[in-house]
């Protein structure tokens, strides 16, 4: 695999000079390697570094050994998230080969292990998932699920989507989002709910107009009719 550190070359080191016991690029590389190997916490990352120390020393200097889990935590908490995202997206784009027709799913989820009560709050993430590559291309944190609508355009702006098909649930069914996807030279599939004013009805009518005339006959099996064409309404 290509060395990912070159994609983070412009990342600013938030630490003061006297506190830099470990090189920033080495902290990043150990963390990346650990996460790719299944690490899910700062303690896991430190444990990975200790277990792979001899191997890591073949290409890292490790001037103060393997950083502690607290060091990983503090450094990543202090990094500029915009710079991190820019480097991450550039790196992932270099290894994810998006082919024509690739489906990129934009979706928001609440992270497991977060909750509304106590000191923690539910953490919502909006992610772009490349189906064929089985890879998250980019993601953004939002304070609430309702804020997904503002995060989606920023997520789309960071991605190279030419030739792909972008899918988004009803939260992203917005004219500006559709225009942005088209401007990226991609196609889209957007979900529409019946509670979105007259939009669902207008979309349905537009598709019905394209049906062959031979289909335009009354049917008692239908739950609804439009101009003599049977229509089954979706429960959503």
């Amino acid at each position: 695999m290509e060395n990912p550190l070159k994609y983070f070359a412009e990342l600013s080191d938030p630490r003061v000079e006297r506190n830099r016991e470990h090189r920033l690029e080495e902290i990043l590389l150990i963390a990346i390697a650990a996460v790719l190997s299944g690490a899910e916490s700062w303690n896991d990352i430190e444990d990975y570094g200790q277990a792979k120390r001899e191997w890591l020393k073949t290409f890292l200097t490790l001037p103060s050994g393997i950083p502690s889990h607290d060091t990983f935590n503090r450094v990543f908490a202090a990094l500029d998230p915009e710079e991190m995202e820019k480097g991450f997206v550039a790196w992932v784009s270099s290894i994810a080969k998006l082919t024509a027709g690739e489906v990129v799913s934009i979706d928001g989820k609440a992270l497991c292990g977060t909750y509304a009560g106590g000191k923690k709050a539910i953490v919502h993430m909006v992610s772009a998932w490349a189906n064929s590559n089985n890879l998250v291309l980019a993601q953004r944190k939002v304070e609430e699920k309702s804020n997904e609508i503002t995060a989606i355009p920023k997520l789309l702006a960071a991605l190279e989507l030419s030739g792909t098909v972008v899918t988004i649930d009803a939260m992203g069914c917005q004219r500006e989002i559709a225009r942005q996807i088209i401007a990226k030279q991609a196609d889209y599939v957007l979900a529409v709910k019946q509670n979105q004013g007259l939009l669902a009805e207008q979309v349905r009518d537009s598709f019905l107009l394209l049906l062959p005339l031979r289909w335009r006959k009354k049917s008692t099996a239908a739950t609804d009719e439009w101009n003599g064409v049977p229509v089954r309404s979706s429960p959503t």
Side-chain angles (χ1 to χ4, degrees), residues 24-38:
L24 179 62
E25 61 268 26
E26 296 190 353
I27 292 175
L28 290 173
L29 194 144
I30 295 171
I32 291 172
V35 171
L36 290 176
S37 299

Side-chain angles (χ1 to χ4, degrees), residues 123-195:
V123 175
H124 292 278
M125 299 292 294
V126 179
S127 303
W129 173 263
N131 290 9
S132 296
N133 283 270
N134 289 325
L135 185 68
V136 173
L137 300 176
Q139 59 184 192
R140 276 186 173 266
K141 177 183 175 183
V142 295
E143 296 303 321
E144 299 178 359
K145 184 171 178 60
S146 59
N147 290 345
E148 288 180 18
I149 197 170
T150 59
I152 290 173
K154 296 177 181 178
L155 196 63
L156 292 172
L159 298 172
E160 171 53 54
L161 297 169
S162 179
T164 65
V165 178
V166 179
T167 67
I168 313 177
D169 63 16
M171 177 68 75
C173 188
Q174 305 289 328
R175 290 185 178 89
E176 288 305 317
I177 289 177
R179 292 191 185 101
Q180 186 178 6
I181 295 172
I182 293 173
K184 287 276 187 174
Q185 300 182 339
D187 295 312
Y188 61 81
V189 177
L190 303 180
V192 182
K193 287 188 176 180
Q194 291 184 351
N195 62 2

Side-chain angles (χ1 to χ4, degrees), residues 4 7-8 85-98 128 130 133 135-138 159:
Y7 298 101
F8 299 93
E85 181 187 42
K86 182 179 178 181
F88 176 80
V89 171
W91 174 47
V92 171
S93 297
S94 72
I95 59 177
K97 306 300 181 183
L98 299 183
N133 283 270
L135 185 68
V136 173
L137 300 176
L159 298 172

